[in-house]
């Protein structure tokens, strides 16, 4: 018998060392729950510990539910994963013509090449799901169609819409009736308000400031984007979701997803380049459909992470050992869930202990460094227009509006429902910050000599807004 | 590597030959960055008492693809090629049937077998040896239908590798063969390596296949002709040990860095693949790189490629992180022996033994070899009895043409029809209606004649590519045009 107590103790130490709030772990092996452990606090101020019934936002682990919903529809012949998605959702149009042949599978494995476009969440948080497909043509293609893996939340929201059009029910209702209910996931929900009203939920925390103290933050609200990451669930109920996969789609005598469907959902489709712990013990195999696959010490692991404001999750299973684990933490951008998963599988494989937390932290900082813009020597130069000439509204087909207006001695930008001061940096460029994220805007002068566009740089390639 | 391990490897090589009933093989092993073994096992020609040696030449077949990929990567480092730009930027004549693929195919797509085209191997197998490479690539290839959407699935494609060869020729201004000789063979000291079109300076290993009575009979490899860049290299295991070491050293030979940082592209997976119809215990497929397969074996990343031409079965394989690797050149047709031996050798090197790989692969080989018979019997089960031909035998005789596959000629002799596809003659056995059964490279296929509006035989369609829903239709060439 494996020493699960030692495993739990080491998770407790890791949680304390990281100074994070709370953690809930549920592990299954050969059909039985072998670990159900809750550590730290779901509510730090009130010193409330999490319980197996505490709801946590599972973030992007929602994607596997959206993928499963489509597989169920494929099993019923209502969706063809390998036929153009426009057959069912003709309003989903890409700017890149080749991408207009995209199939549900292409969206499910993040290979459309469409830019991440996460700015949409920030600029248009209330966009309704049925309108989402209509704005895709305003988004840039980052890579040639199907050439490269590029994680994309917006595409998963469109897949949620596909479920609705193909089936007739709302995505939420479909997932509830076709997945939650047969799995006995009675408390799982799709929005944070239902979690809150249930009473047993985890507050969201992020480390902040110089001393890295825990600070309670607001929950992510996904609205139209829900199929990419809005599910809340507790650890006890999610163990059934893991068992569904280990039992090849069969649960309580009912085939919820076909056996071939489970195989397809977990079969890698495209190599990935963002694995946190790539090394000699864990090697990535690629992204499947709402899941990614890797090989840990020679054994296949199917898993996914989830990250929304103040919450991190990891769900994974190792079919060859008939084992799986879910770890929920109510701290944002935590490496602990992923590290705990690899430790659990190491334990089952009888491998020597490895510091997976350190490994994942190294990977995370490497990825962050890659994503961060390189510090450049700032250019110097004067702006070429009077301040008021930059004022005005600038619009983009997909992202909507930003507006610039005079404010005191300078300019301010209205961005994602906030008024933020613009600081002149050089020539036509001004900088600002949104929730601590640095951003800049560069104005462009047309042939008429008038300011005609604003180039917004925010977490990715610049986006052109026209006056 | 200890003498004890080397002697275990020698035992494994001899055991593989015995288990598979092969005549011989040549083996090179690299351990921790050093060549520790280059040796022949068994016989090149048992009757003549000629042993296998490390200096005899073999058709290395598809392991040639990694050379073509290396050429492309070299040209990218020369600044002449961007692997991720549409290839029609460099050769505007390049076109494919699928308009999206035609517009967007990059060199990386071509080298990783993801253009959407299925094998269409019978085109080159039946093709005249003297066929022109550019004619094949620019005129024939665009008429071959894809079986998958562009970049959707990995499908092994030899003709596309010939296209990369043409790209190398366009960008370098030299024949592909000359480029490979100058940029790879010479600096690596692969002194006896040649192409199937060249005159050998060294002796060939005698090649074998299983004869009708089950014993080994001499076999003769195809000349790859126009598709040379997919498989025309012939080399000794001594030559190949240098190539292996060059790859283990990521493009370096001695102090010369022939491929720089771009070497990383070569063994980076681009698309998941499935080649064999079975799973191998302890092995997980990762993807196809540029001319190489990437797998995990017992947790280690293995980069490898096999090759087959009639009479020759080869494998080049390495574990880059350990700087270990091997080359196996076997003088036996269509055998999985190289894979069995490779796993046995890796088990010795990794000290993770246990399996009888010869038994495992022999069983898979048996199942694969039973396939054509199974296909034939399931075909026969669909036969409709007593449905004769609709026309007199003579009415089918004539010449027919497909813009990609070329010409077929239907002949009649003693009331029996036969079909000449380029250089290959197929005997037609009447199946039902106007449909005939034929056998091509051991596989049963159907051929169907269609009658036109005037009652004439208008076309013949052959099942030359199994993954396509439609047969390949050859339209009748009007007699007047023929004359």
């Amino acid at each position: 018998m494996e020493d699960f107590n030692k495993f739990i103790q080491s998770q407790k130490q890791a949680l304390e060392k990281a100074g994070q709030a709370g953690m809930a772990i549920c592990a299954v092996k050969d059909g039985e729950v072998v670990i159900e452990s809750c550590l730290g606090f779901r509510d730090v101020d009130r010193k409330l510990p999490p319980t197996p019934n505490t709801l946590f936002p599972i973030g992007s682990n929602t994607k596997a539910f959206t993928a499963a919903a489509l597989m169920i529809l494929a099993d019923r012949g209502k969706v063809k994963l390998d036929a153009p998605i426009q057959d069912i959702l003709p309003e989903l149009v890409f700017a890149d013509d080749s991408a207009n042949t995209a199939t549900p599978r292409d969206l499910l494995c993040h290979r459309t090449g469409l830019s991440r476009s996460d700015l949409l969440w920030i600029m248009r948080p209330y966009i309704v799901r049925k309108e989402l497909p209509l704005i895709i043509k305003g988004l840039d293609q980052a890579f040639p169609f199907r050439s490269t893996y590029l994680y994309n939340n917006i595409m998963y929201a469109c897949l949620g819409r596909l479920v609705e059009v193909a089936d007739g029910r709302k995505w939420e209702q479909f997932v509830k009736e076709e997945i939650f209910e047969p799995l006995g996931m009675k408390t799982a929900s799709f929005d944070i308000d239902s979690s809150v009203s249930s009473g047993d939920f985890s507050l969201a925390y992020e480390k902040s400031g110089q001393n890295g103290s825990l600070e309670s933050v607001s929950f992510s609200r996904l609205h139209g984007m829900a199929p990419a990451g809005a599910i809340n669930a507790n650890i006890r109920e999610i163990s059934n979701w893991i068992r569904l996969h280990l039992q090849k789609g069969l649960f309580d005598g009912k085939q919820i997803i076909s056996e071939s469907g489970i195989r397809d959902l977990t079969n890698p489709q495209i190599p990935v380049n963002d694995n946190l712990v790539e090394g000699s013990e864990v090697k990535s195999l690629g992204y499947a459909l709402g899941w990614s696959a890797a090989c840990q010490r020679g054994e296949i692991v199917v898993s996914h992470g989830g990250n929304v404001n103040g919450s991190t999750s990891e769900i994974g299973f190792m079919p060859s050992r008939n084992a799986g684990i879910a770890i929920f933490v109510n701290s944002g951008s935590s490496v602990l869930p992923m590290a705990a998963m690899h430790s659990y599988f190491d334990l089952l494989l009888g491998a020597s202990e490895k510091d997976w937390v350190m490994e994942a932290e190294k990977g995370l900082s490497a990825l962050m460094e890659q994503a961060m813009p390189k510090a450049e020597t700032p250019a110097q130069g004067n702006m070429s227009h009077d301040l008021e000439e930059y004022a005005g509204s600038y619009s983009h087909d997909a992202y909507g509006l930003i507006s610039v207006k005079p404010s005191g001695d300078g300019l301010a930008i209205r961005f994602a429902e906030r008024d933020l001061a613009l600081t002149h940096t050089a020539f036509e460029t001004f900088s600002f910050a949104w929730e601590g994220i640095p951003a800049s805007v560069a104005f462009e002068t047309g042939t008429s000599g008038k300011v005609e566009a604003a180039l917004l740089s925010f977490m990715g390639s610049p986006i052109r807004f026209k006056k | 590597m200890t003498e004890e391990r080397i002697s275990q490897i020698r035992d494994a090589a001899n055991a593989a030959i015995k288990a598979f009933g092969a005549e011989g093989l040549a083996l090179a092993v690299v351990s921790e960055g050093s060549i520790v073994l280059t040796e022949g096992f068994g016989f090149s020609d048992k009757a003549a008492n000629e042993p296998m040696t490390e200096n005899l030449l073999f058709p290395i077949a598809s392991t040639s693809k990694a050379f073509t990929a290396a050429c492309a990567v070299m040209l990218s480092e020369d600044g002449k090629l961007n692997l991720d730009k549409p290839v029609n930027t460099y050769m505007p004549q390049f076109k494919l049937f699928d308009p999206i693929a035609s517009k967007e195919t990059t060199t990386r797509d071509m080298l990783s077998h993801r253009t959407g085209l299925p094998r269409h191997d019978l085109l080159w197998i039946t093709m005249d040896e003297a066929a022109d490479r550019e004619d094949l690539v620019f005129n024939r290839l665009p008429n071959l239908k894809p079986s998958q959407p562009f970049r959707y699935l990995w499908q092994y494609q030899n003709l596309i590798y010939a296209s990369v060869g043409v790209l190398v020729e366009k960008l370098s201004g030299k024949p592909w063969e000359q480029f490979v000789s100058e940029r790879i063979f010479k600096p690596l000291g692969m002194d006896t390596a040649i192409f199937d079109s060249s005159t050998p300076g060294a002796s060939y290993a005698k090649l074998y296949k299983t004869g009708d009575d089950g014993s080994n009979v001499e076999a003769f490899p195809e000349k790859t002709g126009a598709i040379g860049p997919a498989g025309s290299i012939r080399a000794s295991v001594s030559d190949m040990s240098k190539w292996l070491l060059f790859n283990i050293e990521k493009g370096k030979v001695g102090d010369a860095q022939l491929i720089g940082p771009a070497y990383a592209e070569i063994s980076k997976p681009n698309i998941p693949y499935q080649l064999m119809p079975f799973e191998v215990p302890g092995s997980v497929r990762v993807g196809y790189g540029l001319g190489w397969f990437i797998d995990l074996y017992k947790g280690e990343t293995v980069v490898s490629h096999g090759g087959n031409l009639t009479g020759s079965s080869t494998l080049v394989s390495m574990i880059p992180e350990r700087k270990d690797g091997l080359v196996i050149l076997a003088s036996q047709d269509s055998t999985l022996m190289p894979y069995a031996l490779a796993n046995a050798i890796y088990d010795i090197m990794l000290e993770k033994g246990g399996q009888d790989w010869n038994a495992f692969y022999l069983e898979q080989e048996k199942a694969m070899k039973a396939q054509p018979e199974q296909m034939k019997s399931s075909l026969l089960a669909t036969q409709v009895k007593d449905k004769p031909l609709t026309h007199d035998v003579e009415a089918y005789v004539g010449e027919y043409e497909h813009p990609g596959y070329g010409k077929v000629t239907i002949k009649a002799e003693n009331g029996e029809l036969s079909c000449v596809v380029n250089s290959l003659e197929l005997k037609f056995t009447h199946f039902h209606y106007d449909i005939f059964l034929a056998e091509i490279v051991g596989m049963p296929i159907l051929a169907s004649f269609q009658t036109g509006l005037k009652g004439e035989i208008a076309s013949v369609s052959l099942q030359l590519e199994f993954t396509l829903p439609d047969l390949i239709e050859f339209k009748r060439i009007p007699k007047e045009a023929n004359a």
Side-chain angles (χ1 to χ4, degrees):
Chain A
M1 185 69 189
E2 292 85 1
D3 191 352
F4 293 126
N5 284 328
K6 200 173 155 206
F7 168 79
I8 294 163
Q9 280 312 309
S10 81
Q11 296 317 310
K12 193 164 177 246
Q13 282 163 16
L15 185 69
E16 282 162 8
K17 190 175 165 206
Q20 295 178 7
M23 181 188 264
I25 310 170
C26 182
V28 296
K29 170 93 182 90
D30 300 324
E32 301 295 325
V33 172
V34 291
I35 298 173
E36 193 177 72
S37 180
C38 297
L39 309 165
F41 301 105
R42 69 176 174 89
D43 180 335
V44 174
D45 287 346
R46 292 162 66 201
K47 299 226 173 323
L48 297 175
T51 71
N53 297 315
T54 300
L55 290 166
F56 286 75
I58 68 166
S60 291
N61 268 302
T62 303
K63 291 186 172 71
F65 285 86
T66 299
L70 283 166
M71 196 56 77
I72 291 168
L73 287 170
D75 285 341
R76 294 176 188 170
K78 287 189 179 177
V79 165
K80 287 195 179 87
L81 297 183
D82 297 307
I85 193 169
Q86 288 183 355
D87 289 355
I88 296 177
L89 212 55
E91 65 271 35
L92 175 63
V93 176
F94 294 84
D96 176 59
D97 223 10
S98 304
N100 285 320
T101 59
T103 65
R105 185 182 302 279
D106 293 322
L107 279 71
L108 284 164
C109 70
H110 302 295
R111 67 177 181 196
T112 64
L114 189 74
S115 60
R116 276 192 71 129
S117 316
D118 283 336
L119 179 60
L120 260 187
W121 304 64
I122 294 162
M123 290 199 63
R124 300 186 69 181
Y126 301 113
I127 187 163
V128 293
R129 197 167 303 147
K130 70 174 185 191
E131 279 177 17
L132 261 172
L134 301 169
I135 64 167
I136 301 305
K137 62 176 175 294
L139 302 175
D140 293 333
Q141 192 78 7
F143 292 107
F145 178 54
R146 288 197 194 119
S147 70
T148 313
Y149 161 85
L150 181 61
Y151 197 77
N152 196 301
N153 289 301
I154 319 294
M155 292 288 92
Y156 262 78
C158 291
L159 289 167
R161 182 63 191 152
L162 176 66
V163 170
E164 298 178 345
V165 175
D167 181 76
R169 280 173 284 180
K170 286 278 289 175
W171 170 81
E172 286 85 348
Q173 197 190 345
F174 186 94
V175 172
K176 183 169 179 281
E177 292 174 9
E178 302 290 347
I179 303 174
F180 287 177
E181 283 171 9
L183 293 180
M185 295 176 67
K186 295 192 176 72
T187 67
S189 71
F190 302 96
D191 67 285
I192 207 70
D193 296 325
S194 343
S195 280
V196 171
S197 62
S198 78
D200 195 352
F201 65 100
S202 63
L203 287 178
Y205 295 94
E206 296 278 351
K207 293 254 201 149
S208 79
Q210 294 282 314
N211 59 356
S213 63
L214 272 186
E215 197 175 288
S216 166
V217 296
S218 60
F219 291 111
S220 298
R221 287 170 190 276
L222 279 77
H223 308 286
M225 306 271 204
I231 291 177
N232 304 286
N234 72 43
I235 212 79
R236 186 168 280 169
E237 290 181 1
I238 217 77
S239 69
N240 291 343
W241 170 243
I242 295 173
R243 274 190 274 214
L244 171 73
H245 289 82
L246 290 171
Q247 289 157 196
K248 296 170 182 158
L250 189 71
F251 192 83
D252 253 356
K254 194 180 164 203
Q255 195 75 40
I256 295 165
I257 304 172
S258 65
E259 192 174 333
S260 63
I262 293 285
R263 220 169 23 242
D264 202 5
L265 286 164
T266 56
N267 198 19
Q269 305 284 326
I270 185 158
V272 303
N273 42 26
D274 60 355
N275 210 24
L276 281 191
V277 293
E278 191 77 22
S280 56
E281 295 90 358
V282 175
K283 292 171 197 281
S284 166
L285 297 174
Y287 201 88
L289 311 180
W291 293 101
S292 55
C295 209
Q296 178 168 354
R297 301 185 197 272
E299 301 298 329
I300 290 173
V301 173
V302 177
S303 69
H304 209 285
N307 213 325
V308 283
N309 284 359
S311 308
T312 312
S313 68
E314 188 76 29
I315 301 176
F317 51 95
M318 184 177 267
S320 69
R321 291 293 182 278
N322 194 13
I325 189 167
I327 308 99
F328 299 162
V329 165
N330 56 335
S331 291
S333 306
S334 170
V335 298
L336 301 184
M338 172 184 273
M341 174 182 77
H342 290 302
S343 295
Y344 172 66
F345 291 137
D346 268 358
L347 183 65
L348 298 185
L349 295 173
S352 54
E353 278 180 55
K354 184 176 165 79
D355 189 345
W356 286 110
V357 174
M358 196 180 75
E359 201 69 18
E361 271 170 353
K362 267 196 295 190
L364 185 64
S365 50
L367 274 187
M368 297 282 269
E369 200 176 312
Q370 227 175 41
M372 274 308 205
K374 298 276 173 292
E376 284 169 23
T377 325
Q380 290 196 328
N382 297 326
M383 57 184 101
S384 51
H385 296 274
D386 294 336
L387 274 181
E388 58 269 23
E389 289 178 55
Y390 298 102
S393 285
Y394 298 83
S395 79
H396 182 277
D397 286 346
Y399 295 105
L401 281 185
I402 53 174
S403 58
V404 175
K405 57 190 173 191
S407 160
D409 298 342
L411 292 173
I413 185 167
R414 176 90 183 153
F415 172 76
E417 297 172 33
R418 310 259 178 91
D419 289 304
L420 305 160
L422 284 178
T423 310
H424 181 246
T425 49
F427 298 108
E428 308 293 81
T429 305
F430 297 77
S431 67
F432 67 101
W434 184 88
E435 293 205 342
I437 302 168
S440 67
V441 56
F443 294 95
E444 295 180 338
T445 304
T447 48
S448 64
K450 287 185 181 147
V451 175
E452 285 187 349
L455 217 52
L456 174 73
S457 287
F458 185 88
M459 302 194 314
S461 312
I463 294 155
R464 178 172 282 105
F465 288 72
K466 286 185 187 146
K467 200 166 180 176
Chain B
M1 182 175 263
T2 61
E3 267 309 315
E4 192 197 339
R5 289 242 186 120
I6 291 177
S7 106
Q8 285 174 341
I9 290 173
R10 286 198 178 99
D11 292 346
N14 287 315
I17 290 173
K18 195 167 169 224
F20 283 84
E23 298 291 319
L25 63 87
L27 170 67
V29 177
V30 167
S31 168
E32 294 170 37
S34 307
I35 299 171
V36 295
L37 183 83
T38 44
E39 210 168 295
F41 294 86
F43 290 90
S44 171
D45 188 342
K46 202 188 272 172
N49 201 25
E50 280 172 19
M52 183 64 79
T53 77
E54 68 274 25
N55 297 318
L56 293 172
L57 298 179
F58 281 80
I60 67 162
S62 288
T63 65
S64 302
K65 289 188 171 68
F67 288 79
T68 297
C71 293
V73 172
M74 283 173 168
L75 286 165
S76 80
E77 289 202 329
D78 292 349
K80 289 185 175 168
L81 172 67
N82 181 334
L83 298 174
D84 296 307
K85 268 198 177 164
V87 73
N88 60 27
T89 316
Y90 307 102
M91 40 182 202
Q93 310 95 309
F94 180 81
K95 287 197 171 52
L96 291 172
F97 192 91
D98 171 4
I100 293 177
S102 214
K103 187 170 90 155
E104 299 211 8
T105 295
T106 64
T107 309
R108 187 187 302 279
D109 296 325
M110 297 164 85
L111 293 172
S112 48
H113 303 291
R114 60 177 192 191
T115 66
L117 270 190
R119 283 181 172 258
H120 285 293
D121 270 343
L122 291 172
L123 168 54
W124 72 264
I125 289 173
T126 62
M127 205 165 55
D128 194 328
E129 213 177 273
D132 180 67
R133 192 169 294 159
E134 286 199 19
D135 177 52
L136 169 71
V137 171
F138 296 140
N139 303 327
R140 305 266 212 124
L141 190 62
N143 293 298
L144 303 182
K145 281 191 185 163
S147 60
Q148 287 290 332
F150 179 54
R151 289 195 188 122
Y152 215 68
L153 271 188
W154 179 87
Q155 297 186 103
Y156 199 70
Q157 231 300 340
N158 286 302
L159 304 161
I160 292 282
Y161 260 75
S163 313
V164 179
V166 171
L167 176 67
V168 169
E169 293 172 351
K170 294 271 170 207
L171 294 176
S172 70
K174 292 171 185 175
W176 169 82
E177 288 83 355
Q178 190 187 343
F179 190 92
V180 173
S181 292
E182 291 176 5
R183 299 284 294 263
I184 303 176
F185 291 172
K186 285 210 182 89
L188 264 58
M190 296 175 66
D191 297 332
T192 59
I194 49 160
F195 304 91
D196 61 19
S197 52
S198 4
T199 315
S203 302
Y204 278 115
K206 198 170 167 185
L207 305 178
Y208 300 89
K209 63 181 180 187
T210 310
D212 293 336
D213 66 349
S215 68
N216 289 328
V217 296
E218 186 168 8
F220 300 93
E222 299 84 350
K223 287 209 171 173
T224 53
I227 67 144
S232 71
I233 295 175
R234 298 189 170 187
S236 70
V237 87
S238 172
D239 292 323
M240 291 301 285
S241 67
K242 295 167 186 169
W243 166 246
L244 172 65
L245 194 56
F246 169 73
N247 282 283
I248 284 176
E249 296 297 344
K250 301 191 186 310
K252 203 169 161 192
V253 54
D255 292 331
Q257 193 80 50
L258 303 187
I259 304 178
Y263 188 89
E265 299 301 319
I266 287 177
S267 54
K268 194 179 86 182
N270 293 305
I271 185 164
Y273 79 93
Q274 173 141 25
L275 179 67
M276 301 288 189
F278 54 85
E279 299 289 330
V280 180
S283 195
V284 179
R285 294 183 303 275
V286 178
Y288 198 87
L290 305 181
W292 295 95
F293 293 92
I294 298 119
D295 301 291
L296 299 176
Y297 180 63
K298 300 195 170 166
E300 303 285 344
T301 301
V302 176
V303 178
S304 74
H305 210 289
N308 286 94
L309 279 170
T310 299
S312 178
S313 301
T314 65
L315 180 66
V316 181
S317 174
M318 55 190 170
I319 302 181
E321 282 164 26
R322 297 170 52 100
K323 294 198 172 191
D324 290 344
L326 48 87
V327 178
I328 298 164
L329 307 177
S331 55
Q332 196 72 21
D333 188 56
S334 303
T335 175
L336 295 174
M337 177 172 72
Y339 295 94
L341 179 55
N343 283 7
I345 293 173
Y346 282 145
D347 283 351
I348 294 166
M349 295 174 89
L350 299 170
E351 296 180 64
K352 287 179 180 171
Q355 276 118 317
D356 180 350
W357 288 114
N358 292 335
F360 172 81
Y361 278 101
L362 273 167
E363 195 167 314
Q364 304 306 333
E365 199 175 291
K366 211 171 118 192
M368 284 166 77
K369 285 185 172 162
Q371 232 188 357
E373 271 312 309
Q374 285 164 2
M375 284 174 72
K376 200 171 169 183
S377 51
S378 55
L379 257 185
L380 287 172
T382 65
Q383 188 172 23
V384 186
K385 299 275 180 229
D386 305 321
K387 297 292 177 189
L389 283 184
T390 54
H391 293 61
D392 295 337
V393 165
E394 284 304 319
Y396 301 86
V397 171
E399 289 200 313
Y400 301 77
E401 196 173 32
H402 178 274
Y405 276 84
K407 235 185 233 180
V408 303
T409 308
I410 303 294
K411 298 195 297 193
E413 206 173 314
N414 305 327
E416 299 286 329
L417 288 178
S418 68
C419 168
V420 182
V421 189
N422 298 320
S423 63
L424 207 71
E425 181 158 354
L426 313 177
K427 198 172 151 292
F428 274 6
T429 309
H430 182 249
F431 196 60
H432 51 214
Y433 304 103
D434 281 348
I435 296 159
F436 292 81
L437 184 65
E439 199 173 282
I440 189 160
V441 288
M443 298 292 271
I445 65 162
L446 291 179
S448 167
F449 288 91
Q450 286 88 39
T451 304
L453 289 171
K454 292 178 194 156
E456 82 287 11
I457 297 294
S459 68
V460 59
S461 296
L462 300 172
Q463 204 172 19
L464 297 177
E465 176 50 61
F466 283 98
T467 62
L468 288 174
D470 301 327
L471 308 183
I472 310 285
E473 187 183 20
F474 294 75
K475 293 214 165 93
R476 188 165 205 153
I477 305 171
K479 286 223 175 66
E480 9 332 19
N482 234 354

